[in-house]
Amino acid sequence: MPYDFNLKKENNHLIIGNIDANELAEKYKTPLYVIDEEKVRNNYNKLYTAFNSKYEDLHMCYAAKANTNLAVMKILEDEGSYIDAVSPGEIYTALLAGFTPERIVFTGNNVTNEELEYAHKTGVTINLDSISALERLSTIEGTKGKEISIRVNPMVEAGHHEHCITGGPKSKFGIKEEEAVEVYQKAIDLGFKPIGMHSHIGSEILESEPFMLAVETMMDIAGKVHKEVGVDFKFLDFGGGFGIPYEPTENELDLETFTTDIIKLFKSKLEEYDMGKPAMYIEPGRFLVGNAEVLLTRVNTIKESYRKFAGVDCGFGTLLRPTMYGSYHHIVVANKINEENVEEIDIAGNLCESGDLFARDRPMPKLEEGDLLAILNAGAYAYSMASQYNSRPRPAEVLVNKDEVDVIRRREEFSDLFNGQKIPTRLLK
Ligand SMILES: *Cc1c(COP(=O)(O)O)cnc(C)c1O
């Protein structure tokens, strides 16, 4: 059985929460991002319970870069989530959404001294990515005795695309595993109190194996640091990367097996190295929000040139993943959801770039101008990567909760294209 994305359907229409997607498109216009609050909450609770039922001291840190909409952040704050922030802007956003600094872990990459200072002042946990950053943090006033964590790069890689592999010999992230002992010793010598270790090997992981390997490798590194440097870890952070099915041929991550395997390994390694009971941190991004949002876009042009195209009213400025990663996004017709596929067609965006395609040779029902397409799994790395390229204002975003709808981001206007810009007066003569 192909994966069916758990869609709700009524009278040949796609339903989001309890609301017809076609009504949303009429009322709020297209392109439109629609996020389903219930799905975000369910995703959070499913993943949290799967881990927490097997290891109590669990911190689930939502990787905010997947979707930084304030309302989405607030929902996760309400659920009790922590935050994985990768920039000062994300720290700022998380604080604004109501997360206290104790609930925020900052994992920067190639950070400046100003950024380190900002992170230090806000009181969030800092996870350092290089020896340079460690040394530079130590020069900032008031960091003596500070509790810190270090990101290591275990020689394990995983991911759906080369750009998403964040572990292994080619990755820019973290310190080398062989130098971990030395770096933790250095942290102590610089006056810090190291209390955490972090790794994040990649994204869109749908099987236990790569993640297990990462946990095993990191636990061996942490065990060695504990033994040789005497670091008592308060937490071990295994990053995110929990995948979701994008293609009908894929399956959901088997959470029960996955978490059973991981926690068993984690506990046995804690015992092996006599490391007590530190907190386990995980940093899911995609898993919490990916399947909770769709992008509604209307077909405005059917064209047969050398190929057959359905042209829609947005492009890679609105959803970049297909162009950037070659990612597959399943697409359904929101006003003909039960119709059979009858043809293969390219779904093309409206930007002046030949790479601006949402799908090539995609089996679809008979498409007509005016049809409403729903591009699925557009909750993670979707709006957060949107741009105004081709001077196209970014779309609105609405939040659906059963029968309720709220605009959580207004549609941009032409005037938003010029935010912060100014023509020098000397050019206005
Ligand atoms: C991107 C990122 C994550 C989340 O990755 P997902 O694949 O969305 O789960 C977690 N931790 C760090 C450090 C990241 O950079």
Side-chain angles (χ1 to χ4, degrees):
M1 270 286 279
Y3 182 67
D4 69 357
F5 301 95
N6 302 316
L7 299 179
K8 234 166 133 178
K9 304 164 185 181
E10 250 168 54
N11 303 322
N12 211 14
H13 282 191
L14 172 68
I15 309 296
I16 301 166
N18 297 335
I19 303 176
D20 188 329
N22 296 274
E23 276 171 35
L24 292 170
E26 280 293 323
K27 180 155 183 205
Y28 300 99
K29 310 293 178 232
T30 55
L32 182 71
Y33 273 100
V34 184
I35 186 153
D36 184 340
E37 179 169 338
E38 257 190 312
K39 285 197 175 171
V40 177
R41 291 186 188 273
N42 285 345
N43 291 339
Y44 180 89
N45 286 304
K46 224 163 62 181
L47 191 62
Y48 185 84
T49 308
F51 275 96
N52 179 248
S53 59
K54 302 172 189 81
Y55 194 78
E56 206 168 328
D57 198 356
L58 175 79
H59 289 196
M60 211 152 95
C61 310
Y62 168 54
K65 73 179 190 289
N67 187 330
T68 42
N69 186 291
L70 279 176
V72 174
M73 304 271 284
K74 187 71 210 164
I75 291 165
L76 289 164
E77 194 278 325
D78 182 51
E79 288 293 338
S81 184
Y82 288 62
I83 286 288
D84 160 42
V86 294
S87 71
E90 283 186 1
I91 297 175
Y92 184 87
T93 309
L95 292 169
L96 199 63
F99 290 88
T100 53
E102 300 76 51
R103 285 166 73 185
I104 303 172
V105 181
F106 171 57
T107 299
N109 172 243
N110 299 331
V111 285
T112 65
N113 292 0
E114 289 71 30
E115 290 169 336
L116 286 171
E117 194 164 356
Y118 175 77
H120 170 61
K121 282 200 176 134
T122 55
V124 302
T125 303
I126 300 182
N127 185 33
L128 295 149
D129 181 65
S130 67
I131 301 169
S132 161
L134 184 69
E135 286 172 343
R136 288 186 285 115
L137 180 66
S138 74
T139 66
I140 292 168
E141 214 182 293
T143 57
K144 255 248 146 356
K146 188 177 175 67
E147 296 189 332
I148 53 121
S149 166
I150 292 169
R151 177 171 188 168
V152 297
N153 176 359
M155 291 284 271
V156 179
E157 44 189 87
H160 59 96
H161 186 278
E162 195 186 340
H163 295 170
C164 299
I165 297 169
T166 49
K170 284 191 192 158
S171 165
K172 68 167 181 165
F173 297 104
I175 60 159
K176 274 196 301 200
E177 56 176 271
E178 311 91 78
E179 61 187 6
V181 163
E182 199 183 315
V183 175
Y184 274 86
Q185 185 57 56
K186 177 162 196 138
I188 292 169
D189 296 344
L190 286 169
F192 291 118
K193 186 160 184 257
I195 55 152
M197 184 179 282
H198 171 272
S199 77
H200 170 71
I201 55 160
S203 201
E204 190 45 19
I205 299 164
L206 281 169
E207 290 138 20
S208 302
E209 203 186 319
F211 205 85
M212 291 282 284
L213 203 57
V215 170
E216 182 170 14
T217 312
M218 194 180 108
M219 289 305 290
D220 288 337
I221 302 169
K224 200 164 170 213
V225 168
H226 172 67
K227 272 217 169 97
E228 294 183 24
V229 192
V231 170
D232 277 320
F233 287 102
K234 285 194 189 169
F235 70 86
L236 294 162
D237 185 338
F238 298 99
F242 314 103
I244 58 169
Y246 280 91
E247 305 203 28
T249 52
E250 292 173 325
N251 290 311
E252 286 181 27
L253 188 61
D254 179 351
L255 274 187
E256 215 26 59
T257 312
F258 186 74
T259 52
T260 303
D261 291 349
I262 286 167
I263 299 292
K264 204 170 135 204
L265 176 63
F266 179 62
K267 282 182 176 165
S268 83
K269 287 287 175 187
L270 285 178
E271 211 162 289
E272 179 182 339
Y273 293 109
D274 199 12
M275 291 168 79
K277 282 196 173 150
M280 174 185 246
Y281 284 22
I282 52 170
E283 302 173 337
R286 187 188 315 277
F287 190 94
L288 301 189
V289 290
N291 71 353
E293 190 156 18
V294 304
L295 170 59
L296 299 179
T297 181
R298 213 176 276 286
V299 176
N300 55 46
T301 306
I302 298 285
K303 159 159 129 179
E304 278 196 78
S305 52
Y306 297 106
R307 309 174 58 83
K308 187 158 188 195
F309 293 99
V312 299
D313 60 7
C314 67
F316 72 65
T318 308
L319 179 65
L320 183 61
R321 296 187 72 257
T323 303
M324 178 154 164
Y325 304 120
S327 305
Y328 179 100
H329 276 263
H330 202 64
I331 302 175
V332 298
V333 190
N335 55 313
K336 308 175 170 173
I337 193 109
N338 295 328
E339 289 190 15
E340 298 285 325
N341 295 335
V342 294
E343 62 179 350
E344 289 188 356
I345 189 166
D346 292 356
I347 313 285
N350 59 357
L351 302 186
C352 280
E353 290 274 350
S354 56
D356 184 32
L357 282 175
F358 290 115
R360 184 77 96 182
D361 292 325
R362 180 66 59 88
M364 293 296 289
K366 177 90 192 140
L367 287 182
E368 295 162 292
E369 296 179 1
D371 280 345
L372 183 68
L373 303 186
I375 304 183
L376 306 183
N377 285 332
Y381 309 104
Y383 207 125
S384 62
M385 285 187 172
S387 77
Q388 298 171 328
Y389 184 50
N390 274 210
S391 294
R392 296 232 175 234
R394 280 172 290 215
E397 197 170 18
V398 297
L399 177 71
V400 171
N401 186 24
K402 299 187 181 80
D403 298 306
E404 279 178 282
V405 189
D406 290 285
V407 177
I408 55 171
R409 175 145 33 194
R410 70 162 170 83
R411 185 175 300 284
E412 289 184 340
E413 298 167 6
F414 285 153
S415 60
D416 293 304
L417 299 174
F418 313 106
N419 286 344
Q421 292 188 47
K422 197 175 164 208
I423 302 175
T425 41
R426 67 186 171 78
L427 295 178
L428 291 171
K429 283 201 288 278

